[in-house]
Amino acid sequence: MSQNNFSSLPLHSLLLQNLESLNYHSMTAIQAQSLPHVLKNKDVIVQGKTGSGKTAVFGLGLLNKLDQKQFRIQSIVLCPTRELADQVAKEIRQLGRLIQNIKILTLCGGTPLHTQVNSLAHGVHIIVGTPGRIEDLLQKNKLNLDEITSLVLDEADKMLDMGFQPSIEKIIKYLPNKRQTLLFSATFPDEIKSIAKHVMNQPEHIQHELTHDNETIQQSFFSINNQINRTTALRLLLLHYQPTSAVVFCNTKKATTQLAKQLTNYGFSAIALNGDLEQRDRNQILVQFANQSISILVATDVAARGLDIDNLDAVINYEVSQDAEIHLHRIGRTGRAGKSGVACTLYSEDEHHKIIQLEIFLKQSIESSPLPAQDLLDNPSYQPRMCTIRIEAGKKQKLRPGDILGTLTSNKQIAAKEIGKITVTDKCTYVAVNRNIKSSALNTLKNGKIKGRSFRFKAINESPKVWP
Ligand code: ADP
Ligand code: MG
């Protein structure tokens, strides 16, 4: 059984049954890391990005320890806004819907006080609300929190941003000292550290390392055996996914050069990015990769450091990384900003021990997927949509992107939409143009002028070189 199954936790059977019906088949990474502590009634700080499934962490925690026969307030959740409080209450209701007679009440501004006081009189188990209104009810003696066993601060950073710190501190004075406190936050500034220090008791600090949502990355693993070699497997994946921008990771410089050569010979638009490159060449490669004139970078981890490219739609581990953390770094480059990405890892029998380490680190079981069908190899390699023209003038000549766009579109033969990124550096400018209009663009530059002057220019990396 995978360690990511909810059923591995000491959860009430009705909660487990319901999770299945909600299609929560396995825990998100943050849930797997924090729920075991939460269910042990420990104080926990959970730091993780929006959308990582934090609500269920405390929702399940509160529901699991709830005694629904006792009609008194057992838990309180503080949220920064009414909308968030409503969402949280809805999620807790949903998680607890198989347990009968659970009363969850939201207490926020915007609803008349007396309505809330009436609802409180009917008996409530869990309160979700904003600090302002809850403080108000406490001061007016309309709310009794003497028997609270859990306090949750959700989106703590946002609550502080909104100036709720004094309210929160006052509310905490009304709570029993012996309680569980759970704190959730996307960031962890000093103010939160100090609150945590004051109001929590030896908290576990769960920090989710990933800078993206685990779920937006589709991770697949492919076992390579004698029947198929690594490069063939890689070609199949490239032909199948046809990524516009992909990084293929190797563990050594030598491997990157060899593999880039091989891919180029097969007709792919691929180039090696390693520590042997001159700065200027490295920059030029990165510009071409970012403007979509090169589809595949074959890189070492060191060379890829500081690579800041969004829209990476595939990361392929040609070789399994030396350790699990590097693996996460690699695949974290795909699926950025909520976009879906593909992460593929090739491994041989020799690398199987690294896969086992990864299983432990990722808390998930890894199974080999079938490679795309071999007949894909008959297809031609795909080509990037764009190509790059380098003009030998840049910031020193006071060139701006608009000047070049103006020249290229001046005779109305080239539409602006055929022109991609224009990158002006000190001494030269890189212009991405659609491959279909490359000769037309070169002609226009030959016959036209940029800001009244003529500069040298040429198309770079025109067609993949065939290596001897
Ligand atoms: P956060 O508070 O970290 O921003 P949420 O708790 O709002 O994230 O969860 C984001 C979404 O993921 C919600 O729609 C929630 O229902 C869903 N979700 C949470 N945990 C799981 C899970 N284990 N399986 C499937 N969906 C989940
Ligand atoms: Mg949340």
Side-chain angles (χ1 to χ4, degrees), residues 245-298:
S245 307
V247 175
V248 175
F249 280 102
C250 299
N251 291 344
T252 62
K253 273 197 287 209
K254 196 167 153 216
T256 61
T257 317
Q258 276 175 357
L259 182 59
K261 258 188 212 182
Q262 279 180 304
L263 289 176
T264 310
N265 280 338
Y266 281 114
F268 290 99
S269 154
I271 204 150
L273 187 77
N274 61 39
D276 286 348
L277 291 167
E278 300 282 340
Q279 190 60 35
R280 183 192 140 111
D281 293 335
R282 176 182 159 94
N283 290 347
Q284 181 161 306
I285 288 170
L286 291 179
V287 167
Q288 292 180 87
F289 185 64
N291 74 19
Q292 304 188 348
S293 317
I294 294 177
S295 320
I296 303 156
L297 282 187
V298 185

Side-chain angles (χ1 to χ4, degrees), residues 219-226 228-230 233-234 237 316-321 327 344-356 358-359 365-371:
Q219 238 198 117
S220 315
F221 292 82
F222 303 91
S223 140
I224 307 300
N225 49 35
N226 298 331
I228 188 161
N229 79 29
R230 228 178 254 269
L234 174 62
L237 292 172
I316 302 179
N317 296 308
Y318 183 73
E319 296 166 308
V320 187
S321 60
H327 178 87
C344 301
T345 302
L346 303 175
Y347 67 96
S348 63
E349 202 43 54
D350 292 349
E351 290 165 307
H352 202 255
H353 65 284
K354 293 190 191 167
I355 296 295
I356 291 169
L358 266 180
E359 285 190 320
S365 65
I366 292 176
E367 295 193 8
S368 175
S369 304
L371 281 160

Side-chain angles (χ1 to χ4, degrees), residues 295-338:
S295 320
I296 303 156
L297 282 187
V298 185
T300 55
D301 293 292
V302 176
R305 208 176 275 161
L307 200 70
D308 181 27
I309 289 160
D310 37 18
N311 284 327
L312 214 57
D313 25 32
V315 166
I316 302 179
N317 296 308
Y318 183 73
E319 296 166 308
V320 187
S321 60
Q322 297 304 348
D323 71 60
E325 232 165 292
I326 294 177
H327 178 87
L328 274 192
H329 267 282
R330 287 179 174 184
I331 67 160
R333 297 173 176 282
T334 183
R336 287 191 183 183

Side-chain angles (χ1 to χ4, degrees), residues 440-454:
S440 167
L442 289 170
N443 264 328
T444 309
L445 287 174
K446 199 161 134 202
N447 301 320
K449 294 204 154 140
I450 304 170
K451 287 183 107 179
R453 295 176 59 188
S454 298

Side-chain angles (χ1 to χ4, degrees), residues 2-6 9 26-37 46-49 51-54 57 206-216 219 328 331 359-364:
S2 130
Q3 296 180 37
N4 260 25
N5 282 347
F6 283 103
L9 298 173
S26 55
M27 291 187 257
T28 65
I30 215 158
Q31 290 164 353
Q33 284 174 286
S34 49
L35 265 168
H37 302 292
V46 183
Q47 190 186 344
K49 246 195 75 156
S52 46
K54 297 191 286 297
V57 172
I206 309 292
Q207 198 171 0
H208 197 41
E209 297 292 342
L210 294 182
T211 52
H212 53 77
D213 310 342
N214 226 2
E215 292 72 24
T216 61
Q219 238 198 117
L328 274 192
I331 67 160
E359 285 190 320
I360 295 166
F361 192 78
L362 298 172
K363 298 197 172 68
Q364 67 184 46

